[in-house]
C-alpha cells in the first residue's frame, strides 16, 4: 500500500463552498484522499507512511490546464508579436511540418517539467504524435487528456483519411480506461477542417465514446472565413454539423455572441479561457462573466508556449481576474475565488475529468503545497486572494499527482531537467536550420 500524508498545512478547497483548516492534515492511500481536515481529527499514519511537511504552507488542489500544446515548448519565443493567422500560417505550421516524433517527446517532457514546477498535474493537449506525449506524461507522472489531431492538410487522400482513423482507434484502444490518460479526438478548427472532416470526427468520437477538443471563435478573421465559406458563423456551422454536444469542449471562445453562449450552455459545451495567449496575439477578450452567467462551464488554459510563452496557472489566474475587472470597469466582475476555481475544479469539469481539482475524501490525490513564508505572501491575510494576486510558480514547494510525490522541496528527482532542456534545444536548432 502507498500511504502519504501532509501535515501542518492550511488546507484549502473551492470545489463547492470554500473551506479552510489550520492546522490541517491530508492523508492519501493508493492514490486517493482518505482524510482531509483538522489535524486534531486525523488518523494515525501506518508504519512506513511517507510524510510531507507543509510547514504552515497552503495545501490546495493542483491545477488543471484545460487547453495547450505541450510540445510547443520547442517553439517558445519563435515568431512573437504577430497576429494569429500570420503567426500560424507563415511560421508555426511550416516549422511543425519538420517536427519528428522524438522532438515531440522531448518538447512534451520539457512541458511536463515546467508544469510540475508550476503546480499543474493534468492538461488537455492538442498536438501530433500523441503516443510520444504519453511517453513524456508517464515518465513525468502527470495526467493528460489528449489524442490524434485531425486537419484537412494532413488528410487530403483516402489513404491518409483511413490511416488517420486507424491511428485514432488504436490510440483510444491503447489508453481508454487508464488512470493517467484520457483519450480524445482533436479537431483543429473550422478553418482547417472541412465540413466532411468535422462530421467524420463527430461520428468517430461517438463510436469510440471519447471527447472532442477544438479551437472556436478565437479571432474575428475566423468568423469571417467561416461566414464567407459556409454562409454561417462557426457556432451555427458546428450546430448544423451535429458537433454541439456535451462531448465537445472548445478553446478561446473570444468572439461568442450572447445567444451562442446560451446555445453552448444548453448543449453542455465547455470553454477553455486562455487570457495570456489571447492578449499576446491580440485576438480579443472572451466575455467570461457573460459565459458563466449563461451557464457555460469555463476553465483556464495556458495555450502553447509559442503563444503565451509559459505554462503558469498563477499567471493565468491573475490575468483572468484583473483583465475582466478592467474590461467591465467593475472590481467584482471576477473575484479571486472564481479565478482559482477556474484553474482547478472548473477546468477539470471542462475537460471531462470532474474528479480532479478537489481536496475531498475519495477523490484523486492530486495537490500542491505552496511555501507561504515568502515576503510577497506576507502577512497571510487572505490565502485565496494571495494565491491569485501574489503567488507565483516558484512558490510551489511540493507537487503530488496520483498520490506520488513529483516535486519535494522544489526538487524533481525523477527527471533530468538539464538533459531535457539540452535535448529540446537540439531539436529546435535542427528544425530552424533545416
Amino acid at each position: 500500500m502507498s500511504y502519504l500524508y501532509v501535515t501542518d498545512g492550511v488546507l484549502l478547497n473551492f470545489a463547492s463552498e470554500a473551506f479552510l483548516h489550520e492546522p490541517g492534515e491530508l492523508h492519501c492511500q493508493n492514490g486517493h484522499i482518505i482524510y482531509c481536515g483538522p489535524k486534531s481529527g486525523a488518523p494515525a499514519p501506518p508504519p512506513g507512511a511517507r510524510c510531507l511537511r507543509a510547514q504552515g504552507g497552503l495545501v490546495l488542489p493542483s491545477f488543471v490546464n484545460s487547453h495547450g500544446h505541450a510540445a510547443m515548448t520547442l517553439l517558445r519565443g519563435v515568431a512573437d508579436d504577430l497576429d494569429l493567422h500570420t503567426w500560424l500560417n507563415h511560421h508555426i505550421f511550416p516549422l511543425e511540418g519538420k517536427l519528428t516524433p522524438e522532438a515531440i517527446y522531448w518538447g512534451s517532457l520539457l512541458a511536463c517539467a515546467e508544469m510540475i514546477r508550476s503546480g499543474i498535474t493534468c492538461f488537455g493537449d492538442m498536438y501530433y504524435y500523441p503516443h510520444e506525449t504519453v511517453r513524456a506524461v508517464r515518465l513525468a507522472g502527470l495526467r493528460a487528456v489528449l489524442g490524434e489531431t485531425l486537419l484537412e492538410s494532413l488528410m487530403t487522400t483516402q489513404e491518409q483519411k483511413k490511416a488517420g482513423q486507424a491511428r485514432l482507434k488504436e490510440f483510444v484502444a491503447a489508453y481508454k480506461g487508464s488512470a493517467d490518460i484520457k483519450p480524445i479526438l482533436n479537431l483543429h478548427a473550422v478553418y482547417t477542417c472541412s465540413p466532411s472532416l468535422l462530421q467524420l470526427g463527430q461520428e468517430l468520437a461517438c463510436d469510440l465514446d471519447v471527447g472532442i477538443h477544438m479551437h472556436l471563435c478565437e479571432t474575428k478573421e475566423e468568423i469571417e472565413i467561416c461566414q464567407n465559406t459556409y454562409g454561417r458563423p462557426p457556432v451555427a456551422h458546428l450546430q448544423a454539423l451535429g458537433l454541439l454536444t456535451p462531448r465537445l469542449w472548445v478553446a478561446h471562445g473570444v468572439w461568442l455572441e450572447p445567444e451562442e453562449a446560451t446555445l453552448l450552455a444548453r448543449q453542455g459545451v465547455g470553454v477553455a479561457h486562455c487570457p495570456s495567449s489571447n492578449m499576446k496575439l491580440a485576438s480579443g477578450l472572451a466575455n467570461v462573466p457573460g459565459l458563466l452567467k449563461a451557464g457555460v462551464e469555463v476553465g483556464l488554459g495556458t495555450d502553447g508556449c509559442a503563444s503565451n510563452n509559459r505554462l503558469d496557472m498563477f499567471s493565468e489566474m491573475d490575468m483572468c481576474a484583473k483583465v475582466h475587472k478592467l474590461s467591465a470597469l467593475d472590481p467584482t466582475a471576477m473575484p479571486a475565488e472564481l479565478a482559482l476555481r477556474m484553474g482547478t475544479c472548473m477546468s477539470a469539469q471542462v475537460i471531462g475529468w470532474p474528479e480532479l481539482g478537489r481536496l475531498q475524501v475519495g477523490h484523486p490525490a492530486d495537490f500542491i503545497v505552496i511555501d507561504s513564508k515568502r515576503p510577497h505572501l506576507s502577512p497571510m491575510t487572505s490565502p485565496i486572494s494571495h494565491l491569485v494576486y501574489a503567488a507565483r510558480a516558484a512558490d510551489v514547494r511540493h507537487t503530488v499527482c496520483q498520490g506520488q510525490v513529483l516535486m519535494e522541496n522544489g526538487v524533481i528527482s525523477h527527471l533530468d531537467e538539464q538533459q531535457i532542456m539540452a535535448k529540446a534545444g537540439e531539436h529546435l536548432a535542427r528544425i530552424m536550420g533545416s
Side-chain angles (χ1 to χ4, degrees), residues 194-241:
S194 66
S196 61
L197 184 55
L198 292 173
Q199 287 182 309
L200 174 62
Q202 171 67 12
E203 292 168 8
L204 288 168
C206 289
D207 290 344
L208 298 169
D209 191 25
V210 296
I212 299 175
H213 177 203
M214 70 182 299
H215 301 99
L216 183 69
C217 296
E218 185 175 1
T219 65
K220 280 186 175 181
E221 187 174 352
E222 176 188 334
I223 311 292
E224 293 168 359
I225 290 171
C226 192
Q227 186 71 54
N228 293 337
T229 306
Y230 305 113
R232 56 199 177 201
V235 173
H237 186 55
L238 294 184
Q239 182 185 27
L241 297 174

Side-chain angles (χ1 to χ4, degrees), residues 69 71-72 75 96 99 104 125-129 147 149 186:
H69 314 280
M72 290 186 86
L75 304 177
E96 286 180 333
L99 291 174
I104 298 293
D125 198 57
M126 178 188 291
Y127 220 54
Y128 315 105
Y129 303 112
T149 299
N186 290 307

Side-chain angles (χ1 to χ4, degrees), residues 6-12 21-22 53-60 368-373 380 397:
V6 182
T7 187
D8 296 326
V10 179
L11 305 185
L12 296 171
H21 289 303
E22 180 183 9
R53 301 202 175 275
Q55 297 183 354
L58 305 178
V59 184
L60 62 145
I368 58 176
V369 179
I370 303 296
D371 183 357
S372 59
K373 295 179 180 178
M380 186 54 70
R397 181 172 186 171

Side-chain angles (χ1 to χ4, degrees), residues 25-52:
E25 284 197 1
L26 182 70
H27 289 235
C28 316
Q29 189 169 27
N30 298 329
H32 286 79
I33 297 171
I34 62 170
Y35 177 80
C36 180
K39 186 176 181 178
S40 58
R50 184 172 182 178
C51 176
L52 282 180

Side-chain angles (χ1 to χ4, degrees), residues 88-363:
L88 193 61
N89 292 310
H90 297 289
H91 299 275
I92 299 303
F93 279 162
L95 288 173
E96 286 180 333
K98 302 176 183 180
L99 291 174
T100 63
E102 191 69 4
I104 298 293
Y105 169 72
W106 287 106
S108 297
L109 195 53
L110 179 60
C112 288
E114 184 177 355
M115 284 190 275
I116 289 172
R117 290 200 166 277
S118 63
I120 298 168
T121 59
C122 181
F123 62 98
D125 198 57
M126 178 188 291
Y127 220 54
Y128 315 105
Y129 303 112
H131 286 291
E132 299 302 317
T133 304
V134 171
R135 282 179 59 204
V137 168
R138 290 191 157 168
L139 180 60
L142 297 176
R143 302 183 197 266
V145 180
L146 73 163
E148 289 289 333
T149 299
L150 304 186
L151 287 89
E152 202 70 30
S153 60
L154 301 178
M155 305 183 76
T156 56
T157 67
Q158 272 312 114
E159 291 73 20
Q160 288 175 323
K161 286 182 180 178
K162 288 180 181 178
Q165 293 178 59
R167 287 195 304 271
L168 171 64
K169 292 176 181 178
E170 182 267 332
F171 186 87
V172 172
Y175 301 111
K176 195 169 187 181
S178 63
D180 55 349
I181 302 297
K182 190 178 285 289
I184 56 166
L185 166 63
N186 290 307
L187 291 167
H188 182 264
V190 297
Y191 57 89
T192 52
C193 296
S194 66
S196 61
L197 184 55
L198 292 173
Q199 287 182 309
L200 174 62
Q202 171 67 12
E203 292 168 8
L204 288 168
C206 289
D207 290 344
L208 298 169
D209 191 25
V210 296
I212 299 175
H213 177 203
M214 70 182 299
H215 301 99
L216 183 69
C217 296
E218 185 175 1
T219 65
K220 280 186 175 181
E221 187 174 352
E222 176 188 334
I223 311 292
E224 293 168 359
I225 290 171
C226 192
Q227 186 71 54
N228 293 337
T229 306
Y230 305 113
R232 56 199 177 201
V235 173
H237 186 55
L238 294 184
Q239 182 185 27
L241 297 174
L243 272 79
L244 295 189
T245 75
R247 72 175 68 252
L248 174 67
W249 99 84
V250 299
H252 306 299
V254 172
W255 295 99
L256 290 169
E257 297 293 338
E259 61 274 15
E260 293 175 328
T262 300
L263 178 59
L264 294 188
R266 189 164 64 242
Q267 299 300 111
V269 178
V271 174
H273 177 42
C274 305
S276 292
S277 174
N278 294 157
M279 283 190 278
K280 184 178 178 231
L281 292 168
S283 299
L285 176 65
N287 180 12
V288 171
L291 292 175
L292 294 170
K293 186 176 180 180
V296 178
E297 196 76 43
V298 183
L300 274 179
T302 61
D303 211 346
C305 278
S307 62
N308 184 321
N309 297 23
R310 55 190 171 183
L311 306 175
D312 182 348
M313 200 61 78
F314 292 95
S315 173
E316 298 307 317
M317 292 190 303
D318 179 62
M319 204 81 70
C320 175
K322 290 176 180 175
V323 73
H324 291 294
K325 295 176 193 296
L326 177 62
S327 176
L329 296 179
D330 177 3
T332 70
M334 180 61 65
E337 184 182 334
L338 179 54
L340 198 48
R341 284 165 50 80
M342 286 174 61
T344 53
C345 57
M346 290 170 68
S347 277
Q349 191 73 37
V350 166
I351 67 171
W353 215 325
E355 304 91 335
L356 304 181
R358 303 164 184 269
L359 289 191
Q360 293 178 331
V361 172
H363 285 258

